[in-house]
């Protein structure tokens, strides 16, 4: 976890109903879920295996340990989890070397949160090396805190990543809003007690108590996020 939380931001958060906003990365802020699948297809093709398109919905949004482990088991590839993770991260990092495309509405939302000094954290199942490379494009200054999948004991769908972000800001997770694009991420945020905005990227997500489903980040703004906290 990396944190640059100014004391002024923490004090501001404690005086407001909405204490912080936590954002997922792949598929939520940046249009990279397809990149990950393409890289998985390429890596396993190099190992002599073809991935079934139906597996994409199984691995989307999951931590690398789970998604890669599933693909190794499904294909029978002769490779360890650690070896596959290195190949996937290397290939993905090369893929995004020239920048990453933002999801519609992401730049506007990030600018709004920054302008109003809302404590904002990036909470991702991706590894630190990937997060830092993506933030070179998105802008490190948008986030006072970032939590990577390889920096927690249990990553999504476990609540630990979001609870870690809440502790980092010194806020109540029940007074925080989370934006996620996958069922795995939604499960993690809800288990942490956060209010959730789901903006599905690959697979549909149904509305539920404490969860709002939106078609795009273009429909999400600070006023809306504040309205989620009762």
């Amino acid at each position: 976890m990396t944190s640059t939380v100014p004391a002024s931001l923490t004090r501001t958060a404690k005086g407001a109903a909405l204490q912080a906003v936590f954002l997922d990365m792949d598929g939520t802020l940046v249009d990279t879920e397809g990149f990950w699948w393409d890289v998985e297809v390429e890596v396993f093709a190099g190992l002599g295996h073809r991935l079934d398109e139906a597996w994409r919905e199984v691995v989307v949004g999951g931590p690398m340990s789970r998604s890669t482990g599933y693909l190794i088991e499904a294909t029978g590839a002769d490779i360890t989890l650690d070896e596959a993770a290195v190949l996937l991260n290397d290939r993905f990092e090369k893929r995004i070397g020239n920048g990453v495309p933002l999801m519609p509405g992401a730049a506007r939302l990030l600018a709004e949160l920054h302008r109003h000094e809302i404590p904002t954290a990036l909470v991702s199942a991706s590894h630190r090396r990937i997060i830092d490379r993506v933030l070179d494009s998105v802008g490190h200054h948008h986030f006072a805190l970032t939590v990577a999948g390889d920096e927690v004991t249990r990553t999504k769908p476990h609540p630990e990543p979001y609870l870690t972000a809440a502790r980092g800001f010194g806020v109540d997770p029940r007074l925080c809003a989370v934006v996620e694009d996958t069922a795995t991420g939604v499960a993690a945020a809800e288990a942490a007690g956060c209010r959730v905005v789901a903006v599905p990227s690959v697979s549909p997500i149904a509305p539920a108590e404490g969860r709002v489903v939106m078609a795009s980040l273009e429909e999400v703004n600070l006023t809306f996020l504040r309205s989620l906290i009762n």
Side-chain angles (χ1 to χ4, degrees):
M1 179 178 73
T2 63
S3 175
T4 55
V5 187
S8 60
L9 282 189
T10 304
R11 288 197 297 270
T12 299
K14 289 182 178 179
L18 174 66
Q19 293 189 338
V21 174
F22 304 146
L23 301 167
D24 174 54
M25 187 176 75
D26 295 296
T28 298
L29 288 179
V30 291
D31 191 7
T32 50
E33 290 290 13
F35 287 9
W36 276 114
W37 178 248
D38 290 344
V39 164
E40 288 162 345
V41 169
E42 292 168 7
V43 166
F44 278 87
L47 297 170
H49 299 277
R50 181 177 180 180
L51 300 189
D52 190 318
E53 184 69 25
W55 297 343
R56 182 176 182 178
E57 290 194 13
V58 178
V59 302
V60 67
M64 181 167 287
S65 58
R66 190 198 73 187
S67 58
T68 306
Y70 174 87
L71 294 176
I72 291 173
E73 182 176 354
T75 60
D78 184 17
I79 190 171
T80 68
L81 183 60
D82 288 343
E83 290 169 341
V86 170
L87 291 176
L88 289 166
N89 277 322
D90 285 349
R91 186 70 63 91
F92 186 81
E93 192 169 0
K94 183 177 180 180
R95 182 75 178 266
I96 63 174
N98 294 324
V100 293
L102 288 173
M103 298 296 286
R108 189 263 316 148
L109 177 61
L110 289 172
E112 183 179 17
L113 295 173
H114 186 73
R115 185 170 63 252
H116 289 274
E117 296 189 334
I118 302 299
T120 304
L122 184 70
V123 182
S124 175
S126 289
H127 289 189
R128 168 57 54 191
R129 60 182 285 198
I130 299 300
I131 287 179
D132 288 344
R133 179 56 66 90
V134 169
L135 288 182
D136 288 342
S137 295
V138 175
H140 293 262
H141 66 282
H142 289 300
F143 303 98
L145 185 151
T146 59
V147 179
D150 57 339
E151 295 174 339
V152 292
T153 304
R154 294 160 295 187
T155 189
K156 304 173 187 180
H158 195 276
E160 182 180 345
Y162 285 110
L163 294 175
T164 299
R167 284 195 301 271
F169 279 147
V171 297
D172 185 342
R174 296 171 298 179
L175 300 179
C176 299
V178 171
V179 185
E180 274 278 3
D181 72 303
T182 67
T184 298
V186 167
E190 290 180 341
C194 303
R195 295 289 181 171
V196 179
V197 180
V199 185
S201 61
V202 176
S203 302
I205 299 172
E209 184 176 355
R211 177 199 314 166
V212 179
V213 179
M214 309 295 279
S216 167
L217 280 185
E218 293 181 305
E219 301 176 357
V220 180
N221 57 31
L222 180 55
T223 298
F224 173 74
L225 294 175
R226 282 174 167 158
S227 74
L228 300 176
I229 309 300
N230 298 320

